Amino acid sequence: MTFNNLNLLNTAMNAADLRQKAISNNVANVNTPGFKVERVSFEEKLKNALSADGIELTRTNDNHLSISGQKENLTPEVYRKTNTSVKENGNNVDLDVEMSEKSVNELYYNALTRQVNHELSQLNYVINH
């Protein structure tokens, strides 16, 4: 029995948590001169990993490349947006954008939570019936 969906959902929730911390850090540094906005990239990697699932290869040697194993190696990345500036002091934090990003991230996290609950309720049903 594998828990691939739960593991993938857990990774996505960790990415959303990391994004929330990055947004909080951005808001906390709204008046820090020279501070640049942090963003978390994850969904594009997830999309690429999921689209690779259509190809199935058999590995006969540990040195062979794994396509299906890419989901296990998914990790969110934090990067700084250094090419913009909103204020004269070099800071590029826009509170309206950060609040919007925060709301979107909360919706994303809540959707992931519902999906985890659904997966666990299905597992519970199978165990009890």
Side-chain angles (χ1 to χ4, degrees):
M1 177 177 217
T2 62
F3 296 96
N4 289 341
N5 284 349
L6 285 174
N7 290 336
L8 192 57
L9 288 167
N10 182 45
T11 303
M13 289 178 84
N14 288 338
D17 180 53
L18 182 62
R19 181 172 294 122
Q20 196 70 15
K21 290 175 183 171
I23 292 168
S24 296
N25 190 42
N26 293 338
V27 170
N29 287 291
V30 68
N31 292 323
T32 303
F35 182 83
K36 298 298 182 186
V37 168
E38 292 180 339
R39 292 287 181 241
V40 174
S41 98
F42 175 72
E43 284 74 18
E44 190 65 29
K45 288 177 158 186
L46 177 63
K47 181 180 173 184
N48 291 338
L50 292 175
S51 66
D53 276 351
I55 301 170
E56 291 191 26
L57 299 176
T58 301
R59 292 177 64 197
T60 57
N61 186 313
D62 288 340
N63 293 328
H64 291 166
L65 296 176
S66 171
I67 291 178
S68 62
Q70 292 178 352
K71 286 191 288 188
E72 289 85 30
N73 299 326
L74 282 176
T75 55
E77 289 183 21
V78 178
Y79 65 95
R80 288 192 183 272
K81 289 182 73 174
T82 58
N83 56 352
T84 60
S85 184
V86 175
K87 300 172 187 164
E88 292 179 12
N89 64 6
N91 186 309
N92 65 353
V93 177
D94 184 339
L95 275 180
D96 291 335
V97 171
E98 296 306 311
M99 292 299 107
S100 174
E101 291 284 330
K102 178 181 175 287
S103 297
V104 169
N105 193 51
E106 287 174 353
L107 290 172
Y108 177 64
Y109 191 87
N110 289 338
L112 291 170
T113 302
R114 282 193 302 274
Q115 188 62 36
V116 166
N117 287 336
H118 176 72
E119 293 283 332
L120 291 176
S121 69
Q122 285 184 326
L123 186 61
N124 187 34
Y125 178 81
V126 169
I127 290 171
N128 292 320
H129 290 90

